[in-house]
DNA sequence: AATGTCATCACACGAAGGTATGGTCGGTGA
DNA sequence: TCACCGACCATACCTTCGTGTGATGACATT
């Protein structure tokens, strides 16, 4: 069920100038990268491999959409690919806004091929790191959702450092029952020690927040 | 021994144009902020309140020093104050470089007073958050350094989730001795539960790394 | 020489954690 | 209706943890 082991990264180029898209594609392919060009954000969103590792190279001025707004849109849509922005008519406030929003880089046109290659390399690297921690976090959430409500309550108190006796008191249970839920939580979460369970709980907390 | 409870934040303005320094100072004072102007980075480094909360507003083009290089220099010197950069003759790559290096904002001159006020507010806020987590981390390190070598070894294995018996085996000790070191570590670290100790260990690991 | 810290261990006991057996109760879906 | 699951509890037993008492030896400081 896991995807075919690490597909090679795809660079999605979104620019309404086909010459630039083609040129950039061949430059990136020349360094062994998989590149794909789109004429608009709509075309891009229709692509089927948005879940594959990679990054996005986005022109700021596009028909219909503003590149900066689209950057925010991507977050909203749950597309976590790192973004590199480029523009022919940008200014400093624009670039600052983009960087604040998490862009990997912001390149004024014309740029040197090497600069774009460096930016794309950095972006793909960032994506790789993101994916690694994301994947680990998802595995933990997957296990967490199999816990019953009571097991979750007990797990929360256990990882807060409380003793079984205290937990029993707070939840109005007997100590034995707490132990049962606690044991079930450990088993379902796949934690081989309390320390592991604590770290999993912290990972869960830092998600979505 | 802790500093007088939260001194109010100081905005350090570094610009070789005294008019700008004075003007900006009064603008910031008008919104209740403590501002201080310097003509050069050297003057700034001679200031005595670099440890107080606040931020730095730095011109890029300064006599002798480049603002971007100085930004890196500050990190090297261990001055953790957030930096806002401003410039009369900047370009996009410059702003991108600054943002990548962690600048809070990058304002082209002339800028609107309100934009600078917003940037300074954001910077001071970032500083406040940084200080909070830094202070907590330092408290943990302070306690950690009081541990004997053995106690540190045992703490590492305990927080890795190992049982006393295993630890005794790995270190070639009797289980009793492990318990003693373990207890000492808990006491010295001020941890009231294993969960707390695990989190402290994680905080220690994430420091300096 | 005296003091203090670190490190080590034995013995012992009570507290806390973990698991198993066996049983009750209520809700859900086949 | 039956089977299943979540939640609950008691009794029992074993393991692990925490701490105290008492003791030894090394090494550094005063």
């Amino acid at each position: 069920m896991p995807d075919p082991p690490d597909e090679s990264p795809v660079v999605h180029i979104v620019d309404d100038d086909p010459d630039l898209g083609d040129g950039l594609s061949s430059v990136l392919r020349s360094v062994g990268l998989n590149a794909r060009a789109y004429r608009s954000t709509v075309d891009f969103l229709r692509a089927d491999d948005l879940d594959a590792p990679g990054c996005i190279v986005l022109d700021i001025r596009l028909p219909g959409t503003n590149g900066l707004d689209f950057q925010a849109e991507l977050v909203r849509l749950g597309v976590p690919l790192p973004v590199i922005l480029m523009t022919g008519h940008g200014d400093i406030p624009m670039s600052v806004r983009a960087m604040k929003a998490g862009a990997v880089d912001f390149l004024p046109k014309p740029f040197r091929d090497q600069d774009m290659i460096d930016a794309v390399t950095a972006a793909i690297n960032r994506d790789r790191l993101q994916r690694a921690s994301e994947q680990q976090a998802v595995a933990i959430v997957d296990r967490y959702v199999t816990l019953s409500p009571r097991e979750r309550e007990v797990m929360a108190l256990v990882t807060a450092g409380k003793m079984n006796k205290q937990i029993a008191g707070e939840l109005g249970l007997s100590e034995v029952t707490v132990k049962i839920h606690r044991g079930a939580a450990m088993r379902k979460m796949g934690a081989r020690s309390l320390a592991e369970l604590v770290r999993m709980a912290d990972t869960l907390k830092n998600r979505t927040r």
Side-chain angles (χ1 to χ4, degrees), chain A:
Chain A
M1 78 202 56
D3 313 10
D6 281 57
E7 316 163 45
S8 72
V10 181
V11 182
H12 304 273
I13 303 164
V14 187
D15 194 311
D16 60 343
D17 173 2
D19 288 347
L20 188 139
D22 291 348
L24 207 45
S25 291
S26 57
V27 167
L28 293 174
R29 292 212 179 90
S30 77
V31 293
L33 285 165
N34 213 333
R36 207 152 303 182
Y38 311 84
R39 300 287 298 275
S40 71
T41 57
V42 180
D43 284 352
F44 164 69
L45 288 175
R46 264 202 288 268
D48 57 343
D49 47 4
L50 299 187
D51 288 334
C55 69
I56 307 175
V57 177
L58 185 63
D59 191 282
I60 290 236
R61 211 195 48 195
L62 286 169
T65 325
N66 172 304
L68 291 177
D69 293 340
F70 187 61
Q71 193 186 0
E73 179 83 354
L74 286 171
V75 177
R76 207 178 56 70
L77 292 175
V79 178
L81 293 173
V83 172
I84 295 165
L85 288 161
M86 53 186 179
T87 179
H89 305 280
D91 55 19
I92 290 181
M94 222 178 245
S95 70
V96 170
R97 181 183 156 199
M99 295 302 286
K100 281 186 187 171
V104 175
D105 216 325
F106 189 102
L107 298 177
K109 293 182 188 176
F111 45 79
R112 286 179 302 161
D113 288 348
Q114 189 58 48
D115 285 345
M116 180 56 85
I117 291 172
D118 290 347
V120 165
T121 305
I124 286 175
N125 206 39
R126 183 188 288 193
D127 185 48
R128 203 191 318 280
L129 294 176
Q130 271 176 196
R131 266 165 210 280
S133 69
E134 181 62 19
Q135 183 183 331
Q136 186 209 316
V138 166
I140 292 174
V141 172
D142 282 350
R143 293 188 217 124
Y144 185 70
V145 296
T146 71
L147 298 200
S148 72
R150 263 306 198 217
E151 286 160 357
R152 292 180 199 189
E153 282 183 286
V154 171
M155 172 171 163
L157 295 174
V158 165
T159 54
K162 313 227 173 171
M163 290 184 306
N164 290 342
K165 194 177 292 188
Q166 292 178 288
I167 298 171
E170 286 188 36
L171 298 183
L173 303 176
S174 85
E175 202 181 327
V176 204
T177 307
V178 173
K179 289 183 184 181
I180 292 175
H181 291 314
R182 179 179 185 148
M186 292 285 287
R187 210 174 335 102
K188 289 187 181 178
M189 295 301 292
R192 288 181 316 259
S193 66
L194 178 56
E196 274 190 48
L197 195 71
V198 169
R199 294 197 170 92
M200 289 180 189
D202 286 353
T203 301
L204 285 171
K205 267 195 194 142
N206 293 335
R207 284 204 63 62
T208 316
R209 174 194 285 177

